[in-house]
Amino acid sequence: ICHGWGHWTSRDLTTWEFHRGAVIPEMELDKDGSYSGSAVVRDGQMWCYYTGNVIEPGHPNYDYEGRSANETLIISEDGRTFGPRKLVLGNDGYPDYCSCHVRDPKVWWQNDTWNMLLGARTMDDHPAMLLYQSPDGVNDWKLAGSCTTISGKPFGYMWECPNIVTLGGREFFFVCPQGVPSQMTKFQNNFNSGYFPVEGTVIDLLIFCVGSGEEVEDRSRRNGRRSRAGRNCQGRKRSGKKIFMRDRPRRRSGSDQ
């Protein structure tokens, strides 16, 4: 099975014509899948960011070791043909509390910098969202913040496919939670999707304030659950459960590269 990006076009948003697989696995960066991501139009070009999935043989599972998540940039001049692929962020740049499941870059320009959201699953099977920033959208992506839920039970074990929408001057933070049990009247889909209305901006919610020791909390609600981001996150605990996460990058070696 080939996991990649298909390409359709339409003149009326009703009838669609398929052209071909636009971004498909074809090199070591994405040999086991060209996963979801996002695109921005920049200088008249389409800049596409996606996760290249690479599975290393010989591991009992690929959730916590033996998998590389390669955030990859590919540029198109016309939306039909695509240039060479460039790795912009890999396993050695992710926090050490993350499992091998980090994916689906949402990239946008805000606050005079390029921002990237990544969905993640932690080593203790909690969902998380990571924020990276870069001055040019290509090099020097640095972890700027992260968040997870602080309710009694985690809201799934993974948040993927992050997105941001602004309506009426307010930002809405979208995620697709994995591992949310089905209930009688909700969460019936195989692939759930939902949102958090955010007070302020998503960047304000996630970003660290290095040296301040402050904490910020998003008081918005979705199904009674809260999302909290920590500044200078140091693994603090509440009722025996971790609510903040460290921001030290994990350095992998050997087959985990």
Side-chain angles (χ1 to χ4, degrees):
I1 299 175
C2 178
H3 298 279
W5 290 24
H7 183 200
W8 285 261
T9 60
S10 174
R11 295 183 180 276
D12 57 11
L13 300 182
T14 300
T15 304
W16 292 85
E17 177 185 358
F18 177 72
H19 296 281
R20 65 183 188 92
V23 181
I24 59 175
E26 62 179 30
M27 59 186 303
E28 282 298 311
L29 279 176
D30 58 8
K31 69 182 184 69
D32 296 303
S34 301
Y35 285 3
S36 180
S38 61
V40 296
V41 176
R42 182 176 176 184
D43 301 326
Q45 300 173 318
M46 181 186 296
W47 288 42
C48 300
Y49 297 83
Y50 71 94
T51 302
N53 182 46
V54 176
I55 295 176
E56 303 293 341
H59 291 270
N61 70 72
Y62 301 100
D63 293 328
Y64 310 105
E65 61 179 351
R67 180 195 295 265
S68 295
N70 299 317
E71 312 312 330
T72 305
L73 169 64
I74 185 170
I75 298 175
S76 174
E77 299 281 352
D78 56 10
R80 294 177 179 268
T81 57
F82 293 83
R85 304 171 191 216
K86 178 180 176 59
L87 176 68
V88 298
L89 184 65
N91 281 28
D92 59 351
Y94 303 142
D96 62 356
Y97 55 76
C98 285
S99 71
C100 292
H101 290 283
V102 180
R103 56 178 174 266
D104 307 332
K106 162 63 178 178
V107 177
W108 79 106
W109 175 264
Q110 188 174 347
N111 294 352
D112 296 322
T113 192
W114 289 99
N115 301 275
M116 178 190 292
L117 281 179
L118 289 169
R121 175 179 180 175
T122 69
M123 293 295 287
D124 56 357
D125 297 325
H126 281 64
M129 196 60 58
L130 311 177
L131 173 67
Y132 287 81
Q133 294 181 324
S134 165
D136 61 7
V138 181
N139 303 298
D140 200 31
W141 286 98
K142 300 295 186 183
L143 182 67
S146 64
C147 74
T148 186
T149 56
I150 60 171
S151 57
K153 293 185 292 186
F155 190 40
Y157 56 74
M158 164 96 189
W159 288 345
E160 59 179 0
C161 302
N163 199 8
I164 299 174
V165 173
T166 302
L167 295 172
R170 185 173 191 178
E171 288 191 3
F172 293 81
F173 180 24
F174 284 77
V175 299
C176 294
Q178 291 185 321
V180 178
S182 295
Q183 299 181 25
M184 182 66 69
T185 59
K186 57 185 178 180
F187 307 132
Q188 292 291 319
N189 295 329
N190 288 331
F191 304 101
N192 291 295
S193 179
Y195 63 88
F196 300 92
V198 175
E199 295 179 4
T201 69
V202 171
I203 292 176
D204 291 338
L205 170 65
L206 270 69
I207 202 163
F208 296 131
C209 184
V210 177
S212 72
E214 298 178 62
E215 300 165 2
V216 292
E217 179 177 341
D218 170 33
R219 294 175 176 80
S220 59
R221 299 289 193 272
R222 180 180 184 276
N223 296 317
R225 300 181 185 275
R226 292 182 291 172
S227 175
R228 172 170 282 187
R231 303 188 179 204
N232 275 346
C233 297
Q234 297 297 326
R236 297 189 184 184
K237 296 178 181 292
R238 176 176 181 270
S239 301
K241 291 186 178 294
K242 184 183 294 185
I243 59 173
F244 295 118
M245 300 179 294
R246 292 169 290 161
D247 60 348
R248 186 177 73 251
R250 172 175 53 186
R251 302 297 176 185
R252 295 187 173 190
S253 60
S255 61
D256 291 338
Q257 284 288 346

